[in-house]
Amino acid sequence: MSVATVTLHERLRAALPNAGISLRTNPGPSGQHSLLVDAADLPDVCRFLRDTPDLTFDFLSNVSGVDWPDPAKADAVAAPAAGEGSAPPTGGFLEVIYHLYSTRRRIGPLVLRARTIDRATRVQIPSVVAVFRSAEFQEREIFDLYGVEFTGHPDLRRILMWDEFVDHPMRKDYVAPDDYEYEPTPHAAVLEKAQRHYVQP
Amino acid sequence: MISDPATSLTSAVLAPGADDDQLLHVSLGPQHPSTHGVFRMNVVLDGETVVRLKPVFGYLHRNHEKIAEGTSYLASMPYTDRLDYICPLSNNWAYAQAVEKLAGIEVPERAEFIRVILGELTRLINHSAFAGFILGDMGAWGSALMYAFREREKILDIFEELTGARMMANFMRFGGCRNDLPEGWSAKVSRLVDDYGPFLDEMEKFLVGNEILLSRTLNVGSLPREVLINGGITGPMLRAAGVPYDIRKVDPYGIYERFDFRIPLGATGDCYDRIMIRFLEMRESLKILRQALDHLPDGPIIHPKAKIRNFIEGPKGELGFHLISDGTTRPYRYRIRPPSFINLTLIEDMCLGLDLADVVIILGSIDIVLGEVDR
C-alpha cells in the first residue's frame, strides 16, 4: 500500500518545526512523491518516523546514491511542490535516497532524500545506522561508489572496491582506466596509460 | 533484551580480559566450499568461539549498475539474469515490473499468469538447491544436493523448452513476455507440480528428524525480531523468526491477490526454522502453481503498442530495482536492492559467541549468491 506522502509531510512539519523538510513531486506515471530533508535533520526525522506509535516506519529497505552534476536535472525528476523553492546549488551535488516501510502497518515506500552541499569536499551526510542498522553496508557502498561521507558511521570503509582504490566509479564523470583492472605488479606501458586517470592521492 | 534495535552488538564483542595476542585471526574464503562463491570473512576466534566477524565483499564486483546506466533499458535485461544466477527469472520479473511502473505500461493477463508460473518455479529451484547446499555445509557432502539438483534439472528442462536457456533466460519483456508457451508445455509443468509434493515428502523425511541436522541447527543463529527488521533482513530469514512480511501478501504485485496461499512462519528464527520455512514455502508455491495452471487464460503475451522503485518477493528476500529516468533511452540511475547483500548485515551479530563451525551453517542459512552480493 502506498504512503500518503503529502499528509505525512504536514504531520512532520507540525511535529518537527525546526527540521527542513520539503515535498518533491514525481511527474512520471508512477507518481512516487518524496520528501527532501535537510541533511543535518535526517537522523531526527528517521527516529521520529520509526518511534512514533502510529507511524512505525521500522524498516529501511533501500538506500540509493545518485550523482547530480546538473542540479536542474534533479529538480526535473523530483519537482519542488508549489510554493516551495527549488534548491539553489549551482555546481551539482550528491543525493542519497531512503525507502522506508512499516512492516506493522504494511505500507510503503516513504521516500526520503538528503543532499550534500557540493560534489567535492562538502559531501557529508549524517549516518542513519544508529536508527536503522540495515543502512550499514548500503552506506558503505555509497561511500565507496559515490564518495558521500556518512558522519557517525561505525565502520566507514570501501566495500565493493578494494581499499587502495582512489576514485568513485558511480559518479557520472568517472573515467575508467585504460587497463580496466588494477595491476599490483604492473606492466609499465599499461600502467603508465592507466595512471593518467587515477586521481593522485 | 535490546532497548534500541539498531544498537550494534559489535561494540560489546571482544571478550573483556581476553588478551589480544591470544586471539586467532582466520581469513575464511574467498575460495572455500562453504562460502557459496567468492566470499570472505575475517573471523577472530577466542579458542573455538567467534568474537568478531567482518565480511569482505567485492570479489565478483563488475559494477552492473554503471554498465546499465550506459546502455538502453532493454539491453540490461540479460544482465539481470546474472545477478542471482540461481533465480534469473525472478530478476527478470523485478526489472520488467520496475520499467513498466516507470513508463506506465500495462501487462496482459496471460503474461501475468506466465510470470507467476515462472516465478514460483524459480522459488522451487532456489529452495530445493538451498536444502541441498545447507546439508553439504553440515558435511552431508553430495547426497542431499544430488537429490535437490535432480529436481532442479527437471525445472531447468522446462525453462529451456520455453526460453532456450537453462539458466540465463532473458525472457521477460517490458509489457509481457518474449514468446508464448510451446505446445504441451503447461502439461509438462502440471506433471512436475504433481510429482514435486512426493519429492518434498521424501526430502523432509530424510531431514526433519535427522540427529545431525537437529544438533547443528537448533538454537543456532537466532536474533530478536526487532533486530532483524531493523537490520533490513527480508525473505525466508525474516519469516522464520515469525514476522508475517511477504510482499506477495503485503503489497501484492502482478496478480498474486487472486491466488489462495498462505505465508508459513517460524517460531524462533534459528537455522532449523530457516530450513523448514523453505520447505513450507515450496508447498505453498505448488498451490499457487496448480491454481495458475488451472486458470491460465488465452490471449496476447505482450502489450501491443520517471523515478520509480519496484519490489518483488524474490526467493531470497526483497528484490528491488530503483530506476530514475531523465527522459532519454538510458536509465539515469539504475539501482538494485540486493536481498543477499542486505541479509548479510547482521551475520556478525548472529555468529558472535558461537563456534566457528556454526558460522558455516549460519552463512548457509542466509542463502546468498555472490553474483547479487557483489553486483
Side-chain angles (χ1 to χ4, degrees), chain A residues 81-175:
Chain A
E84 298 192 6
S86 60
T90 48
F93 50 85
L94 302 167
E95 185 171 58
V96 182
I97 301 178
Y98 305 81
H99 292 94
L100 291 164
Y101 283 73
S102 169
T103 58
R104 235 172 281 171
R105 293 163 62 221
R106 303 184 167 193
I107 62 165
L110 170 66
V111 187
L112 301 182
R113 306 162 164 273
R115 291 172 176 179
T116 64
I117 297 169
D118 60 25
R119 299 169 72 245
T121 53
R122 290 180 294 172
V123 289
Q124 291 78 20
I125 288 181
S127 166
V128 296
V129 175
V131 191
F132 295 111
R133 184 72 193 283
S134 53
E136 184 178 338
F137 289 167
Q138 302 190 68
E139 285 184 351
R140 271 178 71 186
E141 185 183 324
I142 295 167
F143 165 73
D144 185 1
L145 304 181
Y146 284 92
V148 176
E149 287 170 21
F150 292 94
T151 48
H153 190 287
D155 184 23
L156 196 62
R157 289 179 290 135
R158 284 190 183 273
I159 189 164
L160 292 173
M161 306 303 282
W162 53 98
D163 290 341
E164 296 79 10
F165 192 82
V166 270
D167 211 344
H168 303 293
M170 283 299 285
R171 294 235 185 148
K172 291 287 175 191
D173 49 6
Y174 172 75
V175 181

Side-chain angles (χ1 to χ4, degrees), chain A residues 26 29-30 50 61-62 64-65 67 73 99 101 106 113 130-131 133-134 138 141 146 169 171-172, chain B residues 4 6 57 63 66 69 102 230-232 244 307-309 311 318 322 326 332-333 335 337 346 349 375:
Chain A
N26 178 349
S30 68
R50 187 191 72 178
S61 172
N62 180 60
S64 301
D67 181 17
K73 230 173 199 179
H99 292 94
Y101 283 73
R106 303 184 167 193
R113 306 162 164 273
V131 191
R133 184 72 193 283
S134 53
Q138 302 190 68
E141 185 183 324
Y146 284 92
R171 294 235 185 148
K172 291 287 175 191
Chain B
D4 188 336
F57 304 89
N63 217 339
K66 183 83 173 177
E69 286 173 19
L102 179 72
N230 194 276
K307 165 191 140 299
I308 185 61
R309 172 161 179 283
F311 276 143
E318 199 169 291
H322 175 203
D326 59 353
Y332 185 82
R333 175 74 174 108
R335 149 89 178 160
R337 192 260 183 216
L346 296 181
D349 305 45
R375 280 158 291 138

Side-chain angles (χ1 to χ4, degrees), chain B residues 9-251:
Chain B
L9 299 179
T10 47
S11 48
V13 180
L14 276 177
D19 203 304
D20 241 23
D21 51 359
Q22 294 292 308
L23 297 175
L24 181 66
H25 293 248
V26 179
S27 170
L28 197 67
Q31 275 80 20
H32 189 281
S34 71
T35 55
H36 299 257
V38 280
F39 176 67
R40 186 157 76 92
M41 291 172 282
N42 282 326
V43 189
V44 182
L45 296 174
D46 179 1
E48 187 75 2
T49 309
V50 177
V51 292
R52 189 186 290 160
L53 186 151
K54 293 287 177 201
V56 181
F57 304 89
Y59 291 96
L60 206 58
H61 181 55
R62 63 271 186 200
N63 217 339
H64 175 150
E65 294 176 6
K66 183 83 173 177
I67 294 168
E69 286 173 19
T71 184
S72 69
Y73 284 91
L74 186 57
S76 293
M77 183 61 82
Y79 218 149
T80 62
D81 291 336
R82 284 138 180 97
L83 283 169
D84 174 356
Y85 44 77
I86 305 281
C87 319
L89 283 155
S90 306
N91 307 336
N92 274 196
W93 194 0
Y95 179 50
Q97 259 190 14
V99 176
E100 282 152 10
K101 266 196 190 173
L102 179 72
I105 304 170
E106 298 267 317
V107 182
E109 195 183 19
R110 184 175 171 83
E112 292 280 23
F113 270 85
I114 296 174
R115 286 178 174 192
V116 168
I117 292 171
L118 294 174
E120 295 304 323
L121 285 173
T122 303
R123 201 176 308 277
L124 291 180
I125 287 188
N126 183 72
H127 289 2
S128 304
F130 165 85
F133 281 128
I134 192 144
L135 265 287
D137 291 342
M138 285 174 217
W141 196 245
S143 310
L145 193 60
M146 183 188 72
Y147 287 112
F149 268 40
R150 182 189 67 193
E151 298 307 310
R152 171 179 182 252
E153 205 59 36
K154 292 176 189 165
I155 301 177
L156 291 182
D157 284 346
I158 284 172
F159 283 174
E160 184 174 19
E161 191 174 342
L162 176 65
T163 70
R166 292 165 73 248
M167 291 167 76
M168 302 301 131
N170 182 19
F171 182 70
M172 309 266 178
R173 287 292 178 268
F174 311 133
C177 301
R178 176 157 54 89
N179 53 270
D180 208 343
L181 308 179
E183 193 78 30
W185 189 85
S186 29
K188 279 182 193 161
V189 180
S190 189
R191 257 201 311 282
L192 178 115
V193 171
D194 290 340
D195 294 345
Y196 221 84
F199 158 70
L200 292 179
D201 295 342
E202 186 187 43
M203 204 65 173
E204 270 190 46
K205 199 173 77 192
F206 289 146
L207 301 184
V208 179
N210 181 296
E211 199 180 330
I212 295 176
L213 182 129
L214 290 175
S215 62
R216 292 299 302 275
T217 57
L218 279 176
N219 299 321
V220 171
S222 57
L223 284 176
R225 282 171 204 184
E226 300 71 39
V227 176
L228 291 174
I229 295 173
N230 194 276
I233 309 297
T234 50
M237 288 272 289
L238 183 66
R239 294 188 287 274
V243 182
Y245 193 78
D246 184 316
I247 306 173
R248 291 176 297 170
K249 285 283 189 197
V250 172
D251 188 10

